[in-house]
Amino acid sequence: MSSSTTQAPVARAVASTGGQGGDTRESLSAAGRVGWLFITPNLVGFLAFTLLPLLAAIAIAFTSWNVVSGYSGITFVGLANFAEALGDGALWAAVGRTLLYAGIGVPATMMGGLGLAMLLNRDIAGRTLLRVVFFLPHVVSSVAIGLVWLLLLNPDSGPVNAGLRAIGIDAPPAWLVSETWGLPSLVLIAVWSAIGYNAVIYLSALQALPVDLYEAAAIDGANAFRRFTTVTWPALMPTTTFLAITMTISQSQGFGLITFLTQGGPGEATTTVSYFMYQQGFQFYRFGYAAAVGMISFVGVLLLTSFFWRFQKGRGLYT
Amino acid sequence: MIGTPLSRRTVLKAAAGAAGIAVLAACGKDGGSTSTTGGALNVWGGVPPESGPNAMIEAFQKQHPGITVTYTRYVNDDQGKLKLDTSLQGGVPIDVFFSYDNPTLGKRVQAGLTADLTGRVKNDSGLAQFGPDASPTANLVYDGKIYSVPAQKAPTLIFANDTMLSEAGITIPDGWDINDYRDVAKKLSKAGKVFGTFSTPPIHRYTLGPDYYYSEDGKSSSFSDPAWRQYLELALAMQEEGSVLPRRTIIAEKLQTFSHGPLLTGRVAMLPGQVFVLRYISDLEEFPHDFKVRALPNPAPVKGQEFWNDGPIGDHISISAKSKQQDAAWSFVSFWMNNSHLMTKGGRLPSILDPSKQSQTIADLLGPERDKLYDVASFEKVIFGTEYKFPVDTITTASNQVDTIYKKLHDQVLLGQITVDQMLAQATKEADEAIKAAG
């Protein structure tokens, strides 16, 4: 069988433009090499800066290592770090705080983002400007955001408490300096800074929804609520799943705001798993234990992610 | 150009070229020769170059024209310290480096990153006072050996707003104690607008001295010592009566490290602090103020009794064990130690000081506008007028953990979230566990 009649279109194109390929196998191989060449920079980056550190972290989790002592100071300790983690009350308290932080923050951000997207999807005055304004916090650095909120939530001189005093609340919360209000304050700031990003993603999904479905629903007599539950929500399910997964990952790893605003305090009120890991590694030089905590955290996030993935199956318009 | 596949040879040539460039680039970073009279030294320190190191290096290079010194500033926080550690470990050419506390230096010593300086220090008559057998102890000693020399020795003191003291008609009694201090702080306070003091002086540290977190054998914590309770109860009482800036304000405004702002804006009248605060008092552009600052001695925990000053014996200079220029590096270390007065303009008091140069040191420390900004005589009296007892810590077991535990619980007490009893019980439990786990 001659190659001219059996080769795939792409390979044929390669062969015909190459002019020196000879048979199909050589042409395919040439195309493959070019393909590899294109992805090599990215692949090298991925291997060097993602996969290798990940594998190293897994290996370090089974050791006792303070970094300063160099590679010769690495001691294999088997599962000791994991055993310690299982019995470490401070870690599990941090896990609880992380679940609270992400458990409130993720749904609040997504619901806020969806509401905002539906509002911005309407034909309202200044819509473009509003889209930019709401997206702005997403592109501002967490340090700048933290600084602004630090001033706003200052318990003595901040405008938030000044406002609360003005309406008769004599003892307003101490916000970030309070053991009770520290974590809710951080959730509020995290929601505020991520809501615009969620709104933009939802907005793009809303604008891609098929109009005929709404027309059909309207003809069937569905009111606005019914149209939302039977058309909009199922159609948005892939977007919702994407946001739920990415937001859960990012919120459970939330670190920048906590480091800048509270350093895990007051007391341990805002010490989440990420900050706990940072403390163990970078303050106490217990990198083996920090890596073990990282692995446990990784498995937890993986389980949550797979839950979201399974949950959305069969519930969407297209799944 | 899909149709023009790259040959294996071409790819190999490109890779070889790239590797060659990388090798050449790496060569450019190398430390240089090993001569004692020529070559290049790399020095890593935490002080901004313009606050003394540049002047020091310029003077050194003038005396050693064959040696070029490159100073790299690292920020002495968690990330900065780790950056230096990994650089030392990873073979970045560093010849001389600074450590600013005992636990950090201890880790570097244990890891073999620091050269043993015992012999060099013993053989240098000017530096012998920092040897392992010197009395009183003036350096950090590890298993009878010396791995650094301290360039700084500075007492802590109380910085006071002279105008506020005068307006309140307050005279500070000689040999004042903590009760006098509290009385003065109360008199200087003005109902939530001015607080007598930024913080309660750490009388537990004045009492316990070196290794104040640990019991005498170093195998448990010291939180059961009455000095801790005395300090915490006093701090709470002063907060309650409004004579000290509330802890929640300090946390909310992030004043824990840089505490000079409230003094220079007139929100507090007194500030217990270290000599480096002078840098900010002299900086009228950044912190404009129209009053003089007076130096007061730390108050005694108990009147008439001797106590420790918690000021640092610090700026520990070490030579990297991997440095190929040990002799040239020692020349630099020795020069720095003998010329530490060049650092005074940056707010650092030299550990070696010719008594005849005290007035000049004070002049350098307080800067050209000293007569306008300071009660100069008070600084000379407080800094040089007393023989202070400086603590030299020797125990490093779980020191970062214990420090973190204390700071966390200290905040909780002063925020009213736990009682002193709860704090001390919790601190003892957590610190003892950390010390035991670290062995």
Side-chain angles (χ1 to χ4, degrees):
Chain A
M1 198 177 278
S2 108
S3 62
S4 62
T5 56
T6 56
Q7 64 191 1
V10 174
R12 191 162 53 234
V14 171
S16 63
T17 51
Q20 47 180 273
D23 66 7
T24 309
R25 184 168 295 189
E26 275 186 25
S27 301
L28 276 169
S29 169
R33 280 205 297 271
V34 172
W36 277 106
L37 209 59
F38 271 111
I39 65 164
T40 294
N42 194 288
L43 194 63
V44 169
F46 170 75
L47 291 174
F49 300 115
T50 304
L51 190 64
L52 209 62
L54 184 68
L55 295 175
I58 293 171
I60 290 168
F62 297 92
T63 69
S64 168
W65 190 37
N66 71 0
V67 170
V68 186
S69 57
Y71 298 124
S72 59
I74 299 177
T75 313
F76 179 73
V77 294
L79 293 170
N81 288 327
F82 293 93
E84 183 184 341
L86 289 176
D88 189 342
L91 169 63
W92 293 108
V95 169
R97 277 179 226 113
T98 309
L99 288 174
L100 204 65
Y101 181 75
I104 299 173
V106 173
T109 311
M110 289 174 63
M111 283 192 284
L114 178 58
L116 205 58
M118 292 179 76
L119 190 73
L120 294 175
N121 200 30
R122 290 164 179 259
D123 195 14
I124 55 170
R127 188 170 63 166
T128 309
L129 179 69
L130 284 173
R131 285 176 184 174
V132 173
V133 167
F134 284 116
F135 190 66
L136 216 51
H138 182 66
V139 292
V140 176
S141 86
S142 60
V143 174
I145 289 172
L147 197 62
V148 170
W149 280 98
L150 206 59
L151 297 172
L152 288 173
L153 295 180
N154 185 304
D156 301 318
S157 57
V160 172
N161 275 7
L164 291 174
R165 284 192 199 95
I167 59 168
I169 299 172
D170 293 332
W175 302 114
L176 293 162
V177 192
S178 155
E179 216 170 20
T180 313
W181 288 94
L183 198 63
S185 303
L186 283 174
V187 172
L188 172 78
I189 298 167
V191 169
W192 175 84
S193 58
I195 213 165
Y197 169 75
N198 279 248
V200 166
I201 302 290
Y202 268 129
L203 189 60
S204 63
L206 282 172
Q207 289 178 344
L209 291 188
V211 179
D212 53 343
L213 285 179
Y214 286 101
E215 288 171 352
I219 291 166
D220 288 346
N223 60 20
F225 179 74
R226 190 99 176 113
R227 284 202 298 275
F228 176 80
T229 54
T230 54
V231 180
T232 310
W233 182 246
L236 288 176
M237 189 53 80
T239 308
T240 301
T241 307
F242 165 76
L243 284 173
I245 291 172
T246 54
M247 289 301 296
T248 301
I249 293 171
S250 69
Q251 298 263 7
S252 63
Q253 294 173 347
F255 179 72
L257 277 175
I258 295 172
T259 309
F260 182 73
L261 289 171
T262 62
Q263 284 98 49
E268 286 173 341
T270 57
T271 301
T272 57
V273 174
S274 300
Y275 196 78
F276 181 86
M277 247 191 302
Y278 166 78
Q279 271 191 322
Q280 295 298 324
F282 291 85
Q283 289 184 342
F284 306 156
Y285 284 63
R286 300 187 68 210
F287 284 89
Y289 186 54
V293 172
M295 290 304 113
I296 292 169
S297 165
F298 171 71
V299 171
V301 173
L302 197 68
L303 286 175
L304 267 177
T305 305
S306 47
F307 166 76
F308 287 134
W309 187 252
R310 284 180 179 277
F311 178 79
Q312 59 91 34
K313 282 198 169 180
R315 292 172 195 267
L317 199 61
Y318 311 111
T319 54
Chain B
M1 296 291 282
I2 293 173
T4 317
L6 293 172
S7 71
R8 185 173 294 148
R9 191 167 293 171
T10 311
V11 172
L12 285 174
K13 276 180 188 169
I21 291 167
V23 168
L24 286 173
C27 287
K29 289 179 184 171
D30 200 13
S33 84
T34 60
S35 162
T36 54
T37 53
L41 285 177
N42 287 292
V43 179
W44 281 44
V47 179
E50 66 279 6
S51 296
N54 280 350
M56 182 71 74
I57 288 164
E58 199 179 314
F60 176 77
Q61 290 182 154
K62 203 176 259 182
Q63 205 177 88
H64 300 82
I67 302 178
T68 309
V69 180
T70 305
Y71 182 81
T72 303
R73 195 233 171 159
Y74 73 93
V75 180
N76 189 41
D77 58 10
D78 296 333
Q79 289 93 332
K81 285 190 249 187
L82 189 70
K83 183 180 171 185
L84 174 56
D85 291 336
T86 50
S87 300
L88 286 165
Q89 194 58 256
V92 172
I94 299 172
D95 302 289
V96 175
F97 60 91
F98 283 79
S99 305
Y100 296 91
D101 58 78
N102 181 17
T104 306
L105 179 61
K107 276 198 186 75
R108 291 169 184 161
V109 170
Q110 279 170 10
L113 298 175
T114 48
D116 181 357
L117 301 180
T118 314
R120 290 185 189 272
V121 169
K122 276 184 177 171
N123 293 331
D124 188 320
S125 58
L127 300 181
Q129 59 180 300
F130 302 112
D133 310 318
S135 180
T137 311
N139 199 359
L140 299 173
V141 183
Y142 301 93
D143 292 330
K145 290 182 178 172
I146 293 292
Y147 295 88
S148 68
V149 276
Q152 195 196 189
K153 184 179 173 184
T156 56
L157 56 135
I158 310 293
F159 298 88
N161 183 320
D162 197 41
T163 306
M164 287 188 186
L165 285 174
S166 304
E167 282 174 359
I170 293 170
T171 310
I172 306 298
D174 277 341
W176 70 336
D177 67 5
I178 192 66
N179 295 321
D180 299 325
Y181 187 90
R182 184 178 172 183
D183 287 343
V184 170
K186 265 196 279 192
K187 283 180 194 161
L188 290 168
S189 300
K190 288 177 189 165
K193 288 187 177 166
V194 176
F195 296 89
T197 177
F198 176 84
S199 59
T200 304
I203 48 173
H204 56 299
R205 298 188 67 178
Y206 299 167
T207 307
L208 297 169
D211 299 317
Y212 67 103
Y213 279 137
Y214 298 89
S215 62
E216 272 194 26
D217 62 3
K219 290 182 179 166
S220 58
S221 68
S222 68
F223 294 110
S224 56
D225 192 288
W228 289 98
R229 175 179 295 279
Q230 191 196 354
Y231 162 71
L232 290 167
E233 287 177 347
L234 176 70
L236 272 176
M238 289 181 73
Q239 193 169 262
E240 184 73 21
E241 73 199 13
S243 62
V244 64
L245 193 67
R247 190 69 194 165
R248 81 172 198 171
T249 305
I250 292 173
I251 297 172
E253 296 182 19
K254 298 200 163 295
L255 299 170
Q256 295 98 323
T257 308
F258 297 105
S259 50
H260 49 274
L263 174 76
L264 298 175
T265 51
R267 283 169 72 197
V268 305
M270 296 188 288
L271 167 69
Q274 293 188 20
V275 174
F276 74 83
V277 169
L278 294 171
R279 266 206 319 250
Y280 306 107
I281 301 174
S282 298
D283 186 355
L284 281 177
E285 206 168 293
E286 195 74 27
F287 302 100
H289 57 282
D290 56 2
F291 55 86
K292 281 187 176 184
V293 173
R294 194 198 299 184
L296 304 173
N298 289 341
V302 180
K303 199 179 276 288
Q305 280 189 13
E306 199 181 35
F307 61 101
W308 294 89
N309 184 289
D310 61 323
I313 289 183
D315 293 12
H316 302 281
I317 320 178
S318 299
I319 296 175
S320 167
K322 290 182 181 171
S323 170
K324 293 173 183 167
Q325 311 177 87
Q326 297 283 327
D327 290 338
W330 176 251
S331 300
F332 182 77
V333 170
S334 181
F335 182 88
W336 189 296
M337 290 297 291
N338 288 298
N339 294 276
S340 292
H341 61 275
L342 293 170
M343 296 293 291
T344 45
K345 285 177 185 165
R348 307 191 95 80
L349 264 180
S351 56
I352 300 174
L353 188 63
D354 180 351
S356 68
K357 289 185 178 164
Q358 285 180 358
S359 295
Q360 184 56 48
T361 302
I362 289 293
D364 287 344
L365 211 51
L366 303 184
E369 294 195 81
R370 53 191 171 276
D371 292 326
K372 180 179 157 196
L373 295 175
Y374 299 99
D375 177 345
V376 178
S378 70
F379 278 90
E380 192 151 5
K381 185 180 169 193
V382 169
I383 292 175
F384 293 120
T386 312
E387 254 326 290
Y388 293 108
K389 281 204 310 178
F390 286 97
V392 178
D393 295 336
T394 54
I395 304 170
T396 58
T397 317
S399 52
N400 287 344
Q401 283 99 317
V402 177
D403 189 52
T404 303
I405 289 164
Y406 168 68
K407 284 178 178 162
K408 169 191 80 177
L409 294 169
H410 173 255
D411 280 350
Q412 285 186 284
V413 169
L414 294 185
L415 290 173
Q417 291 160 355
I418 54 175
T419 64
V420 173
D421 284 336
Q422 287 169 327
M423 186 276 175
L424 293 173
Q426 189 69 13
T428 303
K429 180 177 173 287
E430 289 187 26
D432 285 357
E433 281 173 6
I435 293 167
K436 196 177 167 191

